[in-house]
Amino acid sequence: AMTADPDLAADLLDALAAVLPLAAVVVPADNGARAFALGERLQQALTAANAKPERRAAVRLAQARVAAVAGQWERGLDLIATAGETDAAVDVVKATLLLGLNQLDLLPKVRALAERAAATGTPEIVCEALEVLTRCTRGQDLAEARQHVQRWQHTAEQHGLAAWRLRALLELGITDKYLTVGVDTLLAARQAALDAGAIVILIAADLHLGATYLVRDEYDLAAKYGASAGAATEKLGLHALKALAVAIEAGIASVHGDRKATDKALAQLRDHGGSEEIWSYSSAICALMEERYERALAEFDEVEKAVKEPRILRGTFYQGPRLLVRVAHGLAGWPEYERLAESHLSQVRLHRTYFAWSRAILLGRDGEAAKAGVAAAEALELSTGLGLPRYLGLRLAGPSALADGWGEPLEWLREAEEHFHRFGVPAVAAACRAVLREAGAPQQRRRRDHDTVPAVLRKAGVTVREYEVLRLVAERFGNAEIAERLFLSPRTVERHVASLKARTGQPSRAGLISYARPLIGGSAPM
């Protein structure tokens, strides 16, 4: 409006068209309405100026990108068709829109479009196409998805595309979260976003960190990152992301069996448009912590109804615990187990843990005691450093192992009881004690030395028994000697040592000794 120079006006219009999708990101509350309206004004101005068709096509493409950001997939596809052009940029936007429709039969077409764009496009388009390919493959093959992200990251670094590099680093962190429940890459992505002032990437990193720390039994850190994301989303009016921050709050309350806090968070979640899936899952976990298994299974069934998108496109998080509860209560057998164990969820460490517990129970029920023990050992190894996947497994596998004569159920139930007592989940702790009493196991008084565990170790989740093991490790006793002194099996001591390494972040026994000595106090004999 300010310039009479037609060329300059055209350049300005092109610049505006290029940032239309960014406008939809920054102002998401209006569902892209302002960006669409601006696009129409640009089209009118270009028509009045007799602009070349390719300029008008570029605006249509920009509006299609807005539709992709706003989740208006059909509208975006109509705009692509109206643009009438075919090149790498059109291919990748069309692939994004088709993927958004969540139809499995469209996946081959999506992949073909994205692969063509990745082969012929500019570096920016290549990054965009690799992002689409990552989303296509994450539900089928996490290793392949990770390869796409690494190529995407390399392309961004090679061509100095800072924003795309940040997005790739975040996506790498998400993939590693699924594979290993690790946080190092997510922390790196968060720091890079903080350094660059990339607020949306920072929020996304905080949300994923909060969710990962929740699984890892590190609730203070989960609350910290969830609150950080929640404050930022509130300030910016990003309601969909705010719902995910509230979901972390609900998750923390649910694993502690705090029904009042869980329901309060879930009510807030609904206010922010949170999904029925998150609502039902959190309520189900809280019911498990209340020892209300019928309610938990009913809630899990609600999740099953609420999930409409194809499983292959998503990383559903309720399937593992739901299977374990159903198997433990005799409601599911090998067919249900095999269907899930052969799915894409078997790549996710969280679910692999639940699947291993479920397999152990089924094998024990079939009279395969040795194989059940092997499956339980796998579950224990996979769950080292985790929270609910470990202790719900111990709680549910213990009675089955007692009934069918396999594993080390008394030790498992004692470990579970200690955990749930320490985290203030009385119903599950009491249930563990009841099973132990029924089995005739000696009743242990609550250890008076619980508060003697150094605060930093208690915060890391170290139990009283683990602290007893740590003190002897610091004195350089071997596992067999520790087992003899504490009346444990060497295998149990081995698991405690592995758990201590995971909780304290020490890669080796020597590192664990160096870490422990200042905390324990005194000088251990060499």
Side-chain angles (χ1 to χ4, degrees):
M2 293 174 62
T3 178
D5 183 338
D7 291 334
L8 179 56
D11 289 343
L12 288 170
L13 290 171
D14 283 344
L16 281 171
V19 298
L20 278 178
L22 294 179
V25 171
V26 175
V27 194
D30 68 352
N31 209 25
R34 287 172 61 181
F36 282 125
L38 178 57
E40 291 307 315
R41 287 175 57 197
L42 289 177
Q43 285 289 9
Q44 292 167 12
L46 288 171
T47 301
N50 293 316
K52 294 180 179 180
E54 54 265 29
R55 289 198 175 217
R56 291 199 292 275
V59 176
R60 289 290 184 217
L61 182 61
Q63 287 181 292
R65 288 186 185 279
V66 170
V69 172
Q72 298 187 39
W73 318 115
E74 298 285 1
R75 182 175 185 174
L77 289 168
D78 288 343
L79 286 162
I80 285 281
T82 306
E85 295 288 327
T86 302
D87 59 17
V90 173
D91 282 346
V92 77
V93 175
K94 188 174 183 179
T96 302
L97 292 163
L98 288 172
L99 185 62
L101 292 174
N102 275 328
Q103 295 177 15
L104 288 179
D105 59 331
L106 292 176
L107 271 183
K109 187 172 183 180
V110 172
R111 290 194 65 158
L113 287 166
E115 286 167 355
R116 187 165 72 186
T120 62
T122 63
E124 290 91 339
I125 296 298
V126 170
C127 290
E128 192 174 359
L130 289 167
E131 183 178 35
V132 172
L133 287 169
T134 300
R135 291 171 58 199
C136 279
T137 55
R138 187 197 290 158
Q140 300 165 290
D141 189 335
L142 280 170
E144 182 184 350
R146 201 175 192 282
Q147 289 175 354
H148 289 311
V149 182
Q150 288 175 319
R151 181 185 165 196
W152 161 12
Q153 184 180 23
H154 175 73
T155 301
E157 290 173 349
Q158 187 178 18
H159 295 278
L161 305 176
W164 279 109
R165 175 186 170 273
L166 280 176
R167 289 170 69 169
L169 191 57
L170 174 65
E171 190 64 45
L172 198 62
I174 295 168
T175 305
D176 287 348
K177 175 188 85 168
Y178 286 131
L179 284 168
T180 67
V181 199
V183 294
D184 289 349
T185 312
L186 281 173
L187 288 169
R190 185 187 195 278
Q191 187 59 52
L194 192 61
D195 293 342
I199 186 66
V200 176
I201 299 290
L202 181 63
I203 291 169
D206 279 350
L207 289 170
H208 284 288
L209 282 165
T212 307
Y213 281 122
L214 176 57
V215 173
R216 286 162 57 110
D217 212 18
E218 299 178 59
Y219 303 119
D220 288 345
L221 286 170
K224 169 188 168 183
Y225 286 107
S228 173
T233 54
E234 188 75 42
K235 188 179 293 185
L236 295 174
L238 302 173
H239 300 299
L241 295 179
K242 173 65 177 177
L244 295 176
V246 177
I248 293 172
E249 189 180 330
I252 295 170
S254 69
V255 295
H256 286 84
D258 188 337
R259 174 58 66 180
K260 184 177 179 180
T262 300
D263 287 348
K264 181 180 177 182
L266 291 177
Q268 188 184 1
L269 182 67
R270 281 193 169 159
D271 291 341
H272 288 279
S275 73
E276 190 68 30
E277 179 183 352
I278 296 174
W279 173 283
S280 299
Y281 172 79
S282 297
S283 189
I285 294 301
C286 189
L288 291 178
M289 298 300 97
E290 296 170 309
E291 287 285 311
R292 299 171 68 185
Y293 287 96
E294 286 187 12
R295 174 171 179 172
L297 287 169
E299 299 275 13
F300 278 134
D301 289 342
E302 288 301 312
V303 185
E304 185 81 5
K305 293 176 190 173
V307 175
K308 304 252 191 305
E309 299 92 337
R311 299 282 190 275
I312 205 163
L313 299 182
R314 331 177 55 255
T316 50
F317 46 82
Y318 71 93
Q319 297 275 32
R322 180 174 183 261
L323 174 68
L324 176 58
V325 173
R326 284 175 55 78
V327 166
H329 286 80
L331 301 172
W334 285 111
E336 187 170 329
Y337 163 80
E338 287 167 354
R339 177 175 61 81
L340 289 171
E342 293 170 5
S343 75
H344 70 291
L345 297 175
S346 64
Q347 304 169 71
V348 180
R349 181 178 167 192
L350 174 72
H351 291 298
R352 286 171 61 206
T353 304
Y354 287 118
F355 295 165
W357 282 123
S358 301
R359 185 169 72 255
I361 294 172
L362 289 170
L363 286 166
R365 201 167 285 162
D366 288 348
E368 301 277 2
K371 291 181 180 178
V374 171
E378 180 186 342
L380 288 164
E381 183 178 355
L382 285 168
S383 66
T384 298
L386 302 185
L388 190 68
R390 182 179 189 86
Y391 298 103
L392 181 62
L394 292 170
R395 159 69 185 97
L396 292 176
S400 294
L402 274 171
D404 298 324
W406 57 273
E408 301 176 45
L410 299 182
E411 289 184 11
W412 298 344
L413 287 163
R414 287 191 185 106
E415 183 181 341
E417 190 278 335
E418 190 169 275
H419 168 85
F420 288 115
H421 175 84
R422 180 163 52 91
F423 280 103
V425 189
V428 187
C432 292
R433 289 194 293 272
V435 178
L436 286 165
R437 275 196 306 273
E438 197 173 316
Q443 293 298 298
Q444 292 182 322
R445 286 189 173 186
R446 181 59 47 203
R447 295 190 180 103
R448 293 181 180 178
D449 57 348
H450 181 268
D451 292 335
T452 66
V453 178
V456 66
L457 293 176
R458 288 203 307 272
K459 189 173 181 180
V462 173
T463 66
V464 174
R465 176 63 87 187
E466 286 173 345
Y467 184 56
E468 291 173 349
V469 172
L470 182 61
R471 290 175 64 90
L472 294 174
V473 167
E475 293 181 20
R476 297 188 179 275
F477 286 103
N479 286 359
E481 295 171 297
I482 295 172
E484 185 177 348
R485 282 171 172 255
L486 297 181
F487 303 100
L488 299 172
S489 71
R491 180 181 294 178
T492 298
V493 173
E494 184 180 339
R495 286 202 299 268
H496 283 319
V497 172
S499 178
L500 285 163
K501 288 178 186 175
R503 294 188 192 280
T504 60
Q506 300 303 313
S508 65
R509 197 180 187 98
L512 192 60
I513 292 171
S514 299
Y515 174 87
R517 283 184 171 179
L519 296 173
I520 291 172
S523 57
M526 294 299 290

